[in-house]
Amino acid sequence: MSIIPAPIVRFYHKTASPPYFYNLSNKLMPWLSCIFLMLLGYGLYSGLYLAPTDYQQGDSYRIIYLHVPAAWMSLFIYVLMAVAGAISLIWRMKIADVVLISSAPIGASFTFIALVTGSLWGKPMWGAWWVWDARLTSELILLFLYLGVISLYGAIEDKRTASKAVAILALVGVVNIPIIHYSVQWWNTLHQGPTVSKMGKPSIHIDMLIPLLVMAVAFKFYYAIAMLQAAKVEILRREQNTQWVKKLLEQKQ
Amino acid sequence: MNSFAEFLAMGGYGFYVWTSYGIGFVVLLLNILIPIYQRKQLLRELALKQKRAK
């Protein structure tokens, strides 16, 4: 224990306690919502209105401000779930289970949005709603992984066993993440290559890049809000027979 | 872009752009509303159970 400073250990134990986590998310909610709405407002305004029209794709490219941040979130949330799964398996941290399972529907939603908006962008630009290429196929597999986590958790009655099972599934499925990321480089594909993360200068104009990054940050806040809302339900369900939940119910009456 | 109609038209790609944003909006909104509804439902159930137990 000497390697980790005491305040971090204390913070870890405090946050790991369900009532503390529940109250903390209540306190954070107005702040997160406020920052999210401001970022979203500016991101949409600058992306849909201020950013210049693309010289090749016209205004159809504006789908990028939803499509790309949603696709990033689909990867980000999955990695976060895998990390939560590892923490849950190694340290038996209850909150990690809660975070993992609460994140799954949000991750599935972002994956769905990335696929649908990609389809709606592909139709006018490629002439096809869907092609079986590496990027699209691996992203579709990601959607199935998310749905797998959700249904596996729902199928196992004992929630402790269910948590362990989904933690393992989340960890195994993480191999798909680098495949999605590098798919546009490893295989010949219709999907365009990386334009933002490219080494050196990103090949996207700064006026088009800023709204993209604003939307990406806005979605991080959105994720925090949606995950905490789902986590509160999960915590209440698991802790319904504990003293603190009983006290909470009495206060409400 | 000068007029609001032009903004909505999105250079002829209005259908694709607004359908994308519409679907995204609905899906993301549901992810907030469903857990809030579930929590209210669960709290009501638990409160009822507690009352009966007394």
Side-chain angles (χ1 to χ4, degrees), chain A residues 59 62 109 222 229 240, chain B residues 10 16 21 28 31 39 49:
Chain A
D59 284 320
R62 291 181 197 278
S109 300
Y222 168 84
Q229 292 290 6
Q240 50 180 275
Chain B
M10 280 284 156
Y16 301 104
Y21 281 89
L28 294 185
N31 270 297
R39 188 176 77 247
K49 231 163 96 183

Side-chain angles (χ1 to χ4, degrees), chain A residues 22 44 48-49 57-60 62-66 105-106 109-110 112-113 116-117 120 123-125 129 219 222 225-226 229-230 232-233 236-237 240 245-250 252-253, chain B residues 1-3 6-7 9-13 15-25 27-32 34-40 42-51 54:
Chain A
Y22 190 91
L44 288 177
L48 291 170
Y49 186 74
Q57 302 198 357
D59 284 320
S60 77
R62 291 181 197 278
I63 295 175
I64 200 176
Y65 299 117
L66 181 57
I106 310 162
S109 300
F110 275 119
F112 174 77
I113 290 171
V116 170
T117 56
L120 282 158
K123 184 60 186 168
M125 289 301 114
W129 296 104
F219 278 178
Y222 168 84
I225 295 165
Q229 292 290 6
K232 284 203 289 190
V233 183
L236 282 177
R237 215 172 264 154
Q240 50 180 275
V245 172
K246 283 181 181 154
K247 227 181 247 169
L248 185 87
L249 289 169
E250 268 158 26
K252 290 228 164 194
Q253 277 159 14
Chain B
M1 269 186 270
N2 300 313
S3 70
E6 248 177 273
F7 173 67
M10 280 284 156
Y13 296 111
F15 167 76
Y16 301 104
V17 173
W18 298 118
T19 311
S20 293
Y21 281 89
I23 292 172
F25 180 76
V27 170
L28 294 185
L29 194 65
L30 282 178
N31 270 297
I32 303 274
I34 291 173
I36 291 177
Y37 171 78
Q38 283 176 330
R39 188 176 77 247
K40 290 204 166 139
L42 183 65
L43 282 173
R44 216 176 300 140
E45 259 170 55
L46 293 178
L48 206 67
K49 231 163 96 183
Q50 201 174 37
K51 241 185 217 167
K54 270 182 188 163

Side-chain angles (χ1 to χ4, degrees), chain A residues 61-202:
Chain A
Y61 96 93
R62 291 181 197 278
I63 295 175
I64 200 176
Y65 299 117
L66 181 57
H67 175 77
V68 170
W72 283 343
M73 287 311 288
S74 73
L75 304 181
F76 171 81
I77 293 175
Y78 199 90
V79 172
L80 198 138
M81 279 167 58
V83 171
I87 291 174
S88 147
L89 288 175
I90 299 167
W91 289 296
R92 301 286 143 88
M93 188 181 178
K94 278 190 214 164
I95 288 298
D97 291 337
V98 172
V99 167
L100 198 170
I101 197 60
S102 305
S103 301
I106 310 162
S109 300
F110 275 119
T111 314
F112 174 77
I113 290 171
L115 288 167
V116 170
T117 56
S119 186
L120 282 158
W121 192 3
K123 184 60 186 168
M125 289 301 114
W126 301 341
W129 296 104
W130 181 264
V131 284
W132 287 103
D133 97 331
R135 173 56 69 83
L136 282 73
T137 309
S138 54
E139 184 76 7
L140 185 65
I141 291 171
L142 183 67
L143 180 63
F144 293 145
L145 280 169
Y146 276 121
L147 298 178
V149 166
I150 296 167
S151 45
L152 184 63
Y153 188 77
I156 301 172
E157 195 67 44
D158 174 38
K159 289 309 163 204
R160 244 200 254 148
T161 320
S163 300
K164 217 178 266 178
V166 293
I168 292 166
L169 179 59
L171 277 171
V172 172
V174 96
V175 292
N176 191 35
I177 298 299
I179 297 179
I180 298 174
H181 183 76
Y182 291 110
S183 57
V184 284
Q185 290 164 17
W186 290 346
W187 289 282
N188 265 323
T189 157
L190 206 52
H191 195 284
Q192 71 182 70
T195 38
V196 177
S197 66
K198 219 160 66 174
M199 286 299 207
K201 256 177 98 172

